[in-house]
Amino acid sequence: MSTLPTVLVFGGSGLTGASIVAALLEREEFEVKVPVRPSSINKPSTIELQKKGATILPFDIASSSSDVLQEFVSGADTIICAIVFTQLSLQYKLIDAAKSAGVERFVPCDFGTPGRRGVRKLHDQKLDVREYVKASGIGYTFIDVGFWYQLHLMYTDVKKAYVPWLYEASRYVYNGGVVKTAYTDLADIGKFVARIVTDPRTLNQYVFAWGEEITQQDLLKYAQKYGNPNVEIFPKSTTDLESLIAEAKEKKLGTLAYWDYHYSMWVLGENTVEMAKLPELGGALDTRELYPDMEVRPLEDYAIEFYR
């Protein structure tokens, strides 16, 4: 029987979750368990986690009663949530169960960019969860990571765009493109989290992890250097972006979250370590100060791979 502390990672088969699970297993300091819906047990992503050493547990949080959920999380030292953003509300009953079961540390599903209330609906939902966590009295750590390298380089090849409209939208440059924003490589997210959840300094704290702070002008330089030297950009103003947000709200378009992020990052400049440290944004601890020995992947390194 393992004597290592147990970490339950909900959403462990997703992109963020898989990065976290891999890093936890690599440190060999934890027994890592990943609840997975029974219908997803045989998916390649689940099988890959099992091969790496994670214990896969068939479990559906959405259909579980409070008593069943409390029994399920009993014995866990730490719970990390990396669930899909459409299921954030499931965390409320998970927090109650974790508190009743004596879980020592709860990490809700954040892993995004810092910011004020009233700018992004999704971020407001995450802030609501944080308030509930604090009110519950359970030990916690809130973790933001800026924006992923993997999601924000400018597309110079339409075939690489996740969806067609991103091919052009990725090259919208706001107000000259000189505002800084923080980025982290997906693999480094897991490495940061694995350090954070064993650090007593981060208990009951908000933590900001980041790799680099760059501007849209920097993104353009990488696109020109490694993608297409004649890449076309589309200059936009704050008013242009506000119009896109208003249209998305009126027509209930799925692009709203994307434009909200752009407004927060490129207009308000909220996604920086300096902003995250402000008391009104949470008073974050800086992982680059907590772990000065940690090496992060440079964005340019990823850009070379991306454009190749």
Side-chain angles (χ1 to χ4, degrees), residues 239-252:
T239 301
D240 293 330
L241 183 52
E242 289 172 343
S243 296
L244 289 168
I245 291 171
E247 180 186 22
K249 286 181 177 178
E250 180 183 355
K251 297 180 179 179
K252 298 182 179 179

Side-chain angles (χ1 to χ4, degrees), residues 222-276:
Y222 291 143
Q224 292 171 330
K225 185 175 181 180
Y226 301 112
N228 178 355
N230 299 312
V231 60
E232 181 184 10
I233 62 168
F234 302 91
K236 299 289 181 180
S237 66
T238 298
T239 301
D240 293 330
L241 183 52
E242 289 172 343
S243 296
L244 289 168
I245 291 171
E247 180 186 22
K249 286 181 177 178
E250 180 183 355
K251 297 180 179 179
K252 298 182 179 179
L253 301 177
T255 55
L256 177 59
Y258 182 81
W259 302 129
D260 279 348
Y261 268 104
H262 274 217
Y263 192 80
S264 171
M265 293 189 299
W266 301 127
V267 173
L268 299 181
E270 292 183 320
N271 184 33
T272 66
V273 65
E274 180 182 4
M275 293 294 286

Side-chain angles (χ1 to χ4, degrees), residues 13 51 71 83 122 126 129 146 161-162 280 308:
S13 60
K51 287 180 179 178
E71 183 179 354
I83 57 179
L122 178 60
K126 291 180 178 182
V129 172
Y162 290 104
E280 59 265 35
R308 183 186 299 130

Side-chain angles (χ1 to χ4, degrees), residues 190-247:
K191 294 174 184 177
F192 275 124
V193 173
R195 294 281 291 266
I196 290 167
V197 298
T198 58
D199 190 342
R201 295 174 297 175
T202 64
L203 186 62
N204 298 332
Q205 297 289 335
Y206 170 43
V207 183
F208 188 60
W210 58 287
E212 291 187 29
E213 289 184 334
I214 60 169
T215 68
Q216 288 187 292
Q217 285 296 328
D218 295 323
L219 294 178
L220 176 59
K221 289 176 184 177
Y222 291 143
Q224 292 171 330
K225 185 175 181 180
Y226 301 112
N228 178 355
N230 299 312
V231 60
E232 181 184 10
I233 62 168
F234 302 91
K236 299 289 181 180
S237 66
T238 298
T239 301
D240 293 330
L241 183 52
E242 289 172 343
S243 296
L244 289 168
I245 291 171
E247 180 186 22

Side-chain angles (χ1 to χ4, degrees), residues 10-111:
F10 286 85
S13 60
L15 292 174
T16 304
S19 173
I20 293 169
V21 170
L24 290 170
L25 290 169
E26 187 176 341
R27 291 183 70 86
E28 298 182 341
E29 299 174 8
F30 314 93
E31 182 179 4
V32 183
K33 298 182 178 181
V34 181
V36 177
R37 285 178 299 179
S39 61
S40 300
I41 286 293
N42 295 318
K43 286 187 174 181
S45 57
T46 304
I47 294 171
E48 184 63 25
L49 293 178
Q50 196 166 24
K51 287 180 179 178
K52 290 180 178 179
T55 300
I56 305 300
L57 303 173
F59 190 77
D60 186 354
I61 183 175
S63 61
S64 298
S65 67
S66 298
D67 290 341
V68 169
L69 188 54
Q70 181 178 330
E71 183 179 354
F72 182 78
V73 302
S74 180
D77 298 279
T78 299
I79 289 178
I80 300 173
C81 280
I83 57 179
V84 66
F85 71 93
T86 55
Q87 296 183 327
L88 292 178
S89 62
L90 292 177
Q91 292 178 104
Y92 291 108
K93 67 177 183 177
L94 181 56
I95 294 162
D96 291 340
K99 173 63 178 177
S100 298
V103 173
E104 296 174 5
R105 189 187 304 231
F106 187 91
V107 182
C109 187
D110 289 314
F111 309 112

